[in-house]
Amino acid sequence: MSIPSLKNLENIHIQNFQDDLIQWFKKSHRQLPWRINRDPYRIWVSEIMLQQTKVDTVIPYFEKFMKSFPTIEAFAEANEDTVLKAWEGLGYYSRVRNLNTAAKEVVNIHAGKVPHTLDVLLQLKGIGPYTAGAILSIAYGVPAPAVDGNVMRVLSRILIIPDDIAKPATRKIFETAVKQLISHEDPSAFNQGLMELGALICTPTSPACLLCPVRVHCHAYHQGIEMQLPVKSKKKQPKKVQLIAGILRNEEGKILIRKRENEGLLANLWEFPNCERPNQYMPSHFILTDYLENTHKIVSLVQPSKLTEVKHVFTHLIWNVHVHVGELKNAVEETTHLKLVSEDEIAAYAFPVAHQKMWDSYIEMKTKVEKS
Ligand code: SF4
């Protein structure tokens, strides 16, 4: 074996390992909506949704998505606003933008058939080695590795692989391991078995080794070091950003919303106007008033008391948003990126989660006032 980290591969009875894993998967797997058939489009969408999002959160989104876009052709035809609305709340919106771009390419260049070879799949936007491996193995029965964080954790324990799984280069080591281990008779059940094992049994902080179907093959378990694996270096702390946002009404009761830039974080989603709070000494409602005037030529009366404070954690960033309500004092010139909408119309626009929370607080406050 040329990779020293994989020396324990020589001590695994591969056929028995495959049998134990696959039999357990067939008996114990969860019934999930993307498992009802082998449609590559459904599998692709599910894998993209499952990146950085938990299964329980994904299920209702997936079902709604498939109702709205039952075929790749229906999804490819959808415009960006509709697509973002379907993804609203799932976060990491570049995932769905890339998915839509790639779906258009599949329809236009590949006659609507999701490619079944690694190199062609990898050319599609948003498809990396993991997603390609998942589509190939689950939809097409190709023995390709599909290595994500779950799989790295499981195999780092079974084979005692000491490499840092936070480093991108480490994935290759695990792919080499899977290539050796994968069943050629049933690569779909094998890959899904590894993923399912990581999700249900070999969990990050409390692996249920006594229930584990592959315990007999697990080197870390036999040495009592499963809790020391995987090796994963700590990420940088996310940067904290203080923001001030305003829910601003004109005299007809319409609310001011704007579209974010078409690049970068939460691109093209709608939001309530907001700006950074440069220091904590100047009252936030003054900062927002100044900002609105300078940026949008909007004269407003922002109430000094805060409506609420909303915290939202991204991978690299933490937003702490001080939310105020206010009134617009002059006419607003609407553009494609700045609109006045009625409260009922708000639901038609896709907002980031933090702004959905602000809106919920606003409606709650308004309902209370109306009742009192
Ligand atoms: S025996 Fe324990 S550590 Fe090893 S694969 Fe199973 S659950 Fe994970």
Side-chain angles (χ1 to χ4, degrees):
M1 181 58 52
S2 55
I3 302 176
S5 312
L6 298 183
K7 62 181 186 317
N8 280 326
L9 266 178
E10 290 167 10
N11 305 319
I12 291 253
H13 192 298
I14 291 179
Q15 186 65 54
N16 289 357
F17 176 72
Q18 292 171 351
D19 291 347
D20 290 343
L21 182 66
I22 290 172
Q23 275 171 29
W24 171 79
F25 175 73
K26 289 192 167 164
K27 212 168 55 190
S28 314
H29 70 265
R30 292 165 293 176
Q31 301 295 333
L32 298 170
W34 45 90
R35 284 184 177 155
I36 58 171
N37 60 30
R38 291 189 155 199
D39 179 348
Y41 163 62
R42 291 171 65 90
I43 290 158
W44 179 13
V45 172
S46 73
E47 289 299 341
I48 300 294
M49 282 190 174
L50 286 164
Q51 288 167 9
Q52 286 135 328
T53 311
K54 291 198 172 84
V55 166
D56 290 348
T57 310
V58 164
I59 291 171
Y61 277 96
F62 180 82
E63 287 177 332
K64 213 173 109 205
F65 195 95
M66 284 302 149
K67 268 198 190 128
S68 306
F69 314 115
T71 60
I72 194 163
E73 287 80 7
F75 178 52
E77 272 174 21
N79 67 32
E80 195 185 36
D81 285 341
T82 315
V83 162
L84 287 173
K85 187 68 194 165
W87 208 265
E88 185 187 42
L90 265 182
Y92 303 99
Y93 294 86
S94 55
R95 292 183 294 175
V96 70
R97 252 183 241 111
N98 291 342
L99 186 60
N100 191 238
T101 306
K104 286 183 191 344
E105 200 173 321
V106 169
V107 168
N108 295 332
I109 298 175
H110 304 287
K113 186 155 170 30
V114 178
H116 53 84
T117 56
L118 183 63
D119 51 343
V120 183
L121 275 172
L122 288 177
Q123 283 166 21
L124 295 173
K125 222 168 174 190
I127 295 196
Y130 167 76
T131 310
I135 295 170
L136 288 173
S137 59
I138 302 171
Y140 295 122
V142 176
V147 171
D148 67 353
N150 266 341
V151 169
M152 287 199 275
R153 179 175 64 256
V154 172
L155 288 181
S156 75
R157 289 170 174 168
I158 292 172
L159 297 170
I160 310 189
I161 300 175
D163 301 77
D164 182 355
I165 66 165
K167 291 190 178 154
T170 302
R171 177 185 301 269
K172 286 263 171 235
I173 296 172
F174 285 89
E175 283 176 357
T176 305
V178 175
K179 281 180 191 161
Q180 304 269 328
L181 292 169
I182 197 165
S183 159
H184 284 240
E185 283 73 48
D186 197 345
S188 165
F190 180 90
N191 274 348
Q192 290 188 82
L194 277 184
M195 297 171 195
E196 199 79 338
L197 194 65
L200 301 181
I201 304 275
C202 194
T203 57
T205 52
S206 48
C209 299
L210 295 179
L211 302 174
C212 180
V214 295
R215 187 178 70 227
V216 67
H217 309 279
C218 181
H219 287 77
Y221 172 74
H222 290 299
Q223 294 188 26
I225 57 168
E226 66 275 9
M227 292 307 293
Q228 293 165 38
L229 292 159
V231 173
K232 189 177 182 185
S233 56
K234 288 226 171 358
K235 283 190 198 143
K236 269 205 308 198
Q237 286 295 316
K239 185 180 157 210
K240 290 185 182 157
V241 178
Q242 300 292 331
L243 294 172
I244 310 160
I247 298 183
L248 307 162
R249 293 161 59 108
N250 71 1
E251 52 190 21
E252 293 164 20
K254 290 197 165 179
I255 308 288
L256 185 68
I257 60 172
R258 73 175 178 194
K259 200 173 197 178
R260 291 178 66 88
E261 298 292 319
N262 63 1
E263 278 184 353
L265 182 70
L266 306 168
N268 282 343
L269 290 181
W270 289 85
E271 64 178 5
F272 301 107
N274 63 86
C275 61
E276 269 198 49
R277 188 182 190 186
N279 66 60
Q280 71 221 42
Y281 303 110
M282 192 170 167
S284 52
H285 67 289
F286 284 154
I287 298 174
L288 185 60
T289 309
D290 270 4
Y291 169 80
L292 289 166
E293 206 163 337
N294 294 334
T295 314
H296 296 301
K297 299 197 175 26
I298 287 171
V299 182
S300 62
L301 191 66
V302 176
Q303 289 176 8
S305 61
K306 249 188 327 197
L307 165 69
T308 188
E309 204 166 310
V310 170
K311 186 174 168 187
H312 191 76
V313 181
F314 300 92
T315 328
H316 59 297
L317 204 63
I318 299 177
W319 274 0
N320 198 31
V321 195
H322 303 246
V323 188
H324 292 259
V325 291
E327 291 160 36
L328 299 166
K329 290 291 174 195
N330 65 337
V332 172
E333 202 178 313
E334 292 185 69
T335 64
T336 49
H337 281 61
L338 194 68
K339 280 184 189 292
L340 283 163
V341 293
S342 71
E343 288 184 6
D344 293 341
E345 287 166 340
I346 288 256
Y349 294 83
F351 282 81
V353 171
H355 288 255
Q356 287 174 45
K357 287 185 196 160
M358 293 176 212
W359 183 245
D360 291 346
S361 295
Y362 174 76
I363 293 296
E364 201 180 309
M365 178 273 293
K366 210 174 147 239
T367 313
K368 267 192 205 151
V369 171
E370 283 167 2
K371 275 189 187 158
S372 63

